[in-house]
Amino acid sequence: MPTHAEKKTLPYTPEQMFDLVADVDRYPEFLPWVLASRITQRETGAFYADLVIGYRMVRETFTSKVTWQRPDRIHVEYLSGPLRYLSNSWHFIREPDGRCTIDFYVDFEFRSYVFQRIVGLFFNEAVRRMVSAFEARAQELYPPTDTNG
């Protein structure tokens, strides 16, 4: 049952960070281990997405429902795949100086005990790399903002 929670203030707006995280179709371009992604259905305030995750010879697909309130929050609800459960949320908090504090949380468990043990060995490093990939993507997409007024 790996769990990771992280808060980080970045020099981007909540709208920018929300748009980056919500752009699931682009995940294979910058997220480690994401081999493919696609949004399969859209609703008001939600969409359904398939993600293919792979590492070496292991490849797994999972489906989730993503609900959102732009620009404040994104919540991922696990529907099917190799997990027992997944709880994942992003909160984007506007700071007085215009920057955004991201409050990120993920908790999941694989159905396979063996796979869970393997993932547990490098889970924290993997999640840190993925969160860093979002930050690097923001640096690539959005010009620096002057937070000193």
Side-chain angles (χ1 to χ4, degrees):
M1 294 177 268
T3 300
H4 180 85
E6 183 171 340
K7 276 189 179 183
K8 192 168 198 175
T9 302
L10 299 173
Y12 308 104
T13 67
E15 290 82 3
Q16 288 171 322
M17 294 309 301
F18 175 94
D19 290 346
L20 189 153
V21 173
D23 195 4
V24 171
D25 288 330
R26 300 271 191 177
Y27 282 9
E29 295 176 19
F30 68 95
L31 276 179
W33 310 295
V34 176
L35 304 177
S37 63
R38 70 185 177 109
I39 295 175
T40 58
Q41 180 182 343
R42 293 183 187 273
E43 299 175 351
T44 302
F47 60 82
Y48 296 81
D50 292 337
L51 239 57
V52 179
I53 307 295
Y55 181 74
R56 295 188 181 174
M57 299 302 292
V58 177
R59 180 179 277 203
E60 294 286 352
T61 301
F62 69 92
T63 301
S64 57
K65 179 180 182 181
V66 179
T67 54
W68 47 271
Q69 294 175 331
R70 186 177 193 275
D72 301 315
R73 66 185 69 236
I74 293 174
H75 178 74
V76 180
E77 176 186 347
Y78 175 73
L79 298 177
S80 67
L83 304 175
R84 283 193 207 288
Y85 68 87
L86 165 74
S87 178
N88 177 218
S89 63
W90 297 80
H91 294 155
F92 308 99
I93 303 156
R94 187 179 312 278
E95 297 299 333
D97 63 3
R99 296 183 304 160
C100 176
T101 295
I102 297 169
D103 186 354
F104 172 78
Y105 174 82
V106 64
D107 177 25
F108 67 91
E109 183 175 332
F110 280 94
R111 293 184 199 280
S112 162
Y113 175 77
V114 172
F115 206 63
Q116 183 70 21
R117 295 289 295 167
I118 291 168
V119 168
L121 296 174
F122 65 93
F123 172 76
N124 285 329
E125 180 58 29
V127 172
R128 274 190 216 98
R129 281 184 63 187
M130 292 187 85
V131 172
S132 293
F134 279 102
E135 186 175 354
R137 181 68 168 185
Q139 290 171 356
E140 182 182 310
L141 293 178
Y142 308 121
T145 56
D146 182 5
T147 59
N148 294 325

